[in-house]
């Protein structure tokens, strides 16, 4: 099914990806088992942070299908089509409901019961006023500067949403929200991660939907239904226009049920949307306290989908093992985690596990693994992950020992289109890795910041960078300081750098 859906990928590539997933699983499963045995012997609680579940053939196929761009595009476009069809059908249903209620008021109530007619018209006026207020509420945020109207067609969408809200406020509100830019400043002083921004957007939309539904239920649906029932009793069931009455009442009831179902849905599921400002949204332990981390790990399955950032620093010994288990679990299972910083000497066993989980993660945008005693084993796993990952934007690997795995990372950079910042300072890199990393810049068009200082790179790497920069125009900051590069080669790099933004640090 995947090969049919994605015509750009041959079946042999799918099989190759499955084989790769199984190979990667086998490469660290034994090490994880050994670590678990050590943790048991040392008396450390092994149930607090369960070892990450390994992936099999079915898992590899399923994850690869669901994360491939063609599959994602298909699902996104299908959902968009279904959404537009629903909005159109909802607006048509609302127009029919309003039209029959107005005809009923004019044709029945005005002739038979003037009091009910006046009450009905009063509620109709209040309903129109309420709809106009609902439609213009987003303007308050625009004026306050909280959100901005999108430059491309935003005003047209906003005006259309306001007009549509006079007929169907729920669909109209969706159109006005579509016209607004929903990126917000986060607590870290920069734009939130995609996961956190999406959580804020969904929570805001849910509150707006619930508020609008409650308002329409109280002002429109319940009064309309009561008026129709009262009229039926006051006339003794002698309705003048039976066909109109038969159409009007069911439409009112259906609309009432529709609003109630929407309210039920929002009350049931909206509270489970991750809150970036919740107590567990930011996990920060900077003093290496194992007790604090164990207290969090006990209930990690309950709140792993609400955590947005994790920072665990200065852990050693058994604490490092717990950090490795915990972070691997978060990267693999959390649907909200967008920012992670670990400086805990986790070592290769857990470095490989985090790298393996990163391949299937679709929320992380920032990952820092500085000073974690990672070697080429972890480096190769991270390299494989970078070849698949489509969300990570910033990666820090400072102060490790990725001596030869820089080659694999270079090969993954050729295919990666999302990573914008990479730090590999103090990794004992030699020219074998340095040359490959430089050559990768010929093909990579996403990386903007690249730090390779304090390694063992010589003129061989420097000349490769000078050649790569003749074609690469994306790189804005390059740091090759404290290496073994001669002044003449540094001069060549500076000349090739030309007039682009910034200057290379050599």
């Amino acid at each position: 099914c995947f090969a049919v859906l994605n015509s750009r990928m041959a079946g042999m590539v799918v099989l190759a990806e499955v084989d790769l997933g199984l190979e990667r699983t086998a490469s660290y499963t034994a090490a994880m088992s050994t670590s678990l045995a050590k943790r048991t012997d040392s008396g450390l609680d092994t149930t607090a942070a369960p070892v990450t579940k390994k992936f099999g053939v079915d898992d590899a196929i399923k994850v690869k299908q669901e994360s491939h761009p063609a599959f994602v595009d298909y699902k996104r476009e299908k959902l968009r089509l279904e959404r537009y069809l629903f909005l159109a059908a909802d607006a048509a249903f609302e127009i029919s409901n309003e039209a029959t209620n107005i005809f009923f008021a004019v044709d029945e109530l005005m002739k038979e019961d003037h009091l009910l007619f006046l009450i009905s018209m009063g509620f109709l006026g209040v309903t129109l006023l309420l709809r106009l207020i609902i439609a213009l509420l987003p303007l308050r945020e625009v004026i306050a500067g909280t959100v901005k109207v999108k430059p491309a067609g935003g005003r047209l969408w906003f005006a259309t949403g306001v007009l549509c809200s006079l007929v169907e406020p729920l669909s109209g509100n969706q159109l006005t929200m579509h016209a607004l830019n929903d990126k917000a400043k986060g607590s870290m002083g920069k734009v939130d991660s995609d996961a956190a921004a999406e959580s804020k957007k969904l929570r805001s939309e849910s509150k707006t939907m619930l508020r609008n539904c409650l308002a329409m239920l109280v002002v429109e649906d319940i009064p309309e239904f009561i008026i129709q029932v009262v009229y039926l009793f006051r006339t003794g069931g002698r309705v003048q226009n039976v066909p109109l009455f038969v159409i009007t009442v069911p439409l009112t009831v259906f609309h009432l049920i529709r609003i109630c179902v929407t309210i039920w849905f929002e009350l049931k599921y909206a509270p489970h949307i991750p809150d970036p400002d919740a107590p567990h949204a930011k996990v920060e332990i900077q003093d290496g306290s194992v007790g604090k981390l164990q207290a969090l790990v006990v209930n990690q399955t309950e709140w792993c989908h609400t955590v947005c950032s994790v920072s665990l620093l200065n852990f050693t010994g058994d604490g490092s093992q717990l950090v490795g288990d915990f972070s691997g679990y978060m990267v693999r299972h959390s649907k909200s985690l967008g920012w992670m910083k670990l400086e805990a000497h986790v070592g290769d066993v857990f470095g490989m596990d985090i790298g393996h989980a990163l391949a299937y993660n679709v929320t992380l945008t920032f990952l820092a693994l500085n000073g974690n005693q990672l070697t080429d084993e972890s480096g190769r796993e991270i390299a494989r992950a970078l070849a698949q990952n489509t969300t990570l934007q910033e990666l820090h690997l400072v102060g490790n020992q990725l001596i030869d795995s820089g080659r694999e990372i270079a090969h993954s950079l050729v295919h990666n289109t999302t990573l914008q910042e990479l730090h590999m300072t103090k990794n004992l890199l030699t020219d074998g890795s340095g040359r490959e990393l430089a050559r990768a810049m010929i093909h990579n068009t996403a990386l903007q910041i690249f730090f390779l200082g304090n390694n063992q790179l010589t003129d061989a790497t420097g000349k490769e960078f000078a050649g790569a920069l003749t074609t690469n125009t994306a790189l804005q900051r390059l740091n090759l300081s404290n290496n073994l590069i001669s002044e003449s080669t540094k001069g060549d790099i500076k000349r090739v750098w030309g007039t682009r933004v910034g200057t290379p640090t050599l």
Side-chain angles (χ1 to χ4, degrees), residues 107-332:
D107 190 62
E108 281 289 331
L109 298 181
M110 189 169 65
K111 295 178 182 179
E112 302 294 331
D113 197 318
H114 295 289
L115 178 61
L116 287 181
F117 172 73
L118 292 177
I119 294 175
S120 178
M121 289 297 100
F123 273 110
L124 178 61
V126 173
T127 300
L128 290 176
L129 179 61
L130 179 62
R131 289 177 177 179
L132 183 61
I133 294 174
I134 290 174
L136 296 178
L137 276 178
L139 268 181
R140 182 177 59 182
E141 297 183 6
V142 174
I143 295 174
T146 307
V147 294
K148 295 182 179 180
V149 178
K150 294 179 180 177
R155 294 183 179 180
L156 178 61
W157 279 107
F158 192 87
T160 305
V162 172
L163 294 176
C164 184
S165 294
L166 297 177
V167 178
E168 168 39 30
L170 303 184
S171 300
N173 186 257
Q174 293 290 325
L175 294 177
T176 54
M177 294 301 294
H178 178 74
L180 302 178
N181 189 349
D182 51 31
K183 284 288 186 180
K185 285 286 184 180
S187 57
M188 297 180 216
K190 58 182 180 181
V191 175
D192 283 337
S193 68
D194 290 341
E198 184 67 16
S199 295
K200 289 183 178 180
K201 176 184 176 183
L202 290 176
R203 290 178 68 87
S204 175
E205 289 181 353
S206 175
K207 290 180 181 179
T208 301
M209 180 67 73
L210 186 60
R211 178 197 64 200
N212 294 348
C213 285
L214 288 173
M216 301 311 298
L217 183 67
V218 173
V219 176
E220 179 182 0
D221 293 309
I222 293 179
E224 284 179 354
F225 180 70
I226 292 176
I227 288 172
Q228 293 165 3
V229 173
V230 170
Y231 174 73
L232 187 63
F233 276 100
R234 292 186 64 169
T235 60
R238 295 186 297 272
V239 181
Q240 299 297 321
N241 193 335
V242 177
L244 178 61
F245 188 80
V246 170
I247 294 174
T248 302
V249 174
L251 283 176
T252 302
V253 172
F254 289 154
H255 193 268
L256 181 64
I257 294 174
R258 183 259 190 192
I259 294 293
C260 290
V261 170
T262 303
I263 294 175
W264 167 82
F265 175 85
E266 296 297 338
L267 292 176
K268 180 177 177 62
Y269 293 104
H272 300 291
I273 299 174
D275 184 3
D277 299 320
H280 284 135
K282 294 177 66 176
V283 175
E284 293 184 1
I285 302 178
Q286 301 185 7
D287 57 0
S289 174
V290 177
K292 292 180 181 179
L293 183 56
Q294 283 182 326
L296 294 172
V297 168
V298 171
N299 297 316
Q300 67 181 5
T301 56
E302 298 179 7
W303 55 267
C304 74
H305 298 313
T306 65
V307 63
C308 296
S309 67
V310 172
S311 179
L312 304 175
L313 310 179
N314 302 314
F315 283 82
T316 57
D318 291 339
S320 298
Q321 295 181 353
L322 188 58
V323 168
D325 281 339
F326 173 77
S327 57
Y329 182 89
M330 287 293 109
V331 173
R332 191 180 302 281

Side-chain angles (χ1 to χ4, degrees), residues 292-503:
K292 292 180 181 179
L293 183 56
Q294 283 182 326
L296 294 172
V297 168
V298 171
N299 297 316
Q300 67 181 5
T301 56
E302 298 179 7
W303 55 267
C304 74
H305 298 313
T306 65
V307 63
C308 296
S309 67
V310 172
S311 179
L312 304 175
L313 310 179
N314 302 314
F315 283 82
T316 57
D318 291 339
S320 298
Q321 295 181 353
L322 188 58
V323 168
D325 281 339
F326 173 77
S327 57
Y329 182 89
M330 287 293 109
V331 173
R332 191 180 302 281
H333 295 286
S334 177
K335 297 179 181 178
S336 57
L337 183 63
W339 195 95
M340 176 176 279
K341 182 178 181 180
L342 305 178
E343 293 181 10
H345 306 90
V346 295
D348 272 332
V349 172
F350 301 103
M352 293 167 63
D353 183 44
I354 294 172
H356 184 272
L358 182 63
Y360 306 104
N361 182 279
V362 293
T363 60
L364 266 179
T365 58
F366 176 96
L367 177 62
L369 299 174
N370 300 335
N372 280 294
Q373 300 177 353
L374 306 181
T375 67
D376 289 331
E377 293 294 325
S378 297
R380 294 187 181 97
E381 199 65 44
I382 293 172
R384 296 189 185 107
L386 289 177
Q388 288 185 244
N389 187 280
T390 58
T391 56
L392 192 65
Q393 298 177 13
E394 189 171 341
L395 177 60
H396 294 249
L397 298 171
V398 177
N400 291 292
Q401 301 173 29
L402 309 180
I403 304 172
D404 296 320
S405 56
R407 300 182 182 186
E408 284 82 358
I409 293 177
H411 297 159
S412 67
L413 289 177
V414 173
H415 305 285
N416 186 285
T417 59
T418 55
L419 191 66
Q420 300 175 14
E421 190 167 338
L422 177 59
H423 295 253
M424 297 184 68
T425 304
K426 296 182 180 179
N427 269 286
L428 304 178
L429 296 174
T430 60
D431 285 330
S433 295
R435 287 196 301 265
E436 294 297 326
L437 289 168
R439 291 167 185 166
M441 294 300 97
I442 299 176
H443 308 282
N444 184 285
T445 58
L447 199 65
Q448 300 175 17
I449 300 174
F450 200 2
F451 278 59
L452 289 167
N454 293 89
N455 285 294
Q456 300 174 10
L457 308 178
T458 68
D459 284 349
T461 298
K463 292 177 181 178
E464 290 288 351
F465 266 106
L469 290 173
T470 59
T471 57
N472 182 293
T473 58
L475 205 60
Q476 301 299 323
R477 291 184 63 188
L478 175 63
N479 190 318
L480 295 172
S481 61
N482 297 321
N483 281 289
L484 305 175
I485 301 175
S486 65
E487 293 299 324
S488 60
T489 303
K490 292 178 181 179
D492 293 338
I493 296 175
K494 290 180 180 180
R495 281 192 294 273
V496 175
W497 190 266
T499 59
R500 71 177 71 195
V501 178
T503 57

Side-chain angles (χ1 to χ4, degrees), residues 50-68:
V51 177
T52 308
K53 173 183 176 291
K54 67 179 182 179
F55 272 56
V57 176
D58 294 337
D59 296 314
I61 294 176
K62 183 175 183 293
V63 172
K64 187 60 184 175
Q65 287 177 351
E66 295 183 351
S67 62
H68 194 277

Side-chain angles (χ1 to χ4, degrees), residues 24-40:
R24 291 158 63 180
T25 298
S27 67
Y28 75 90
T29 300
M32 291 293 288
S33 301
T34 302
S35 174
L36 180 61
K38 291 181 179 179
R39 285 162 53 84
T40 305

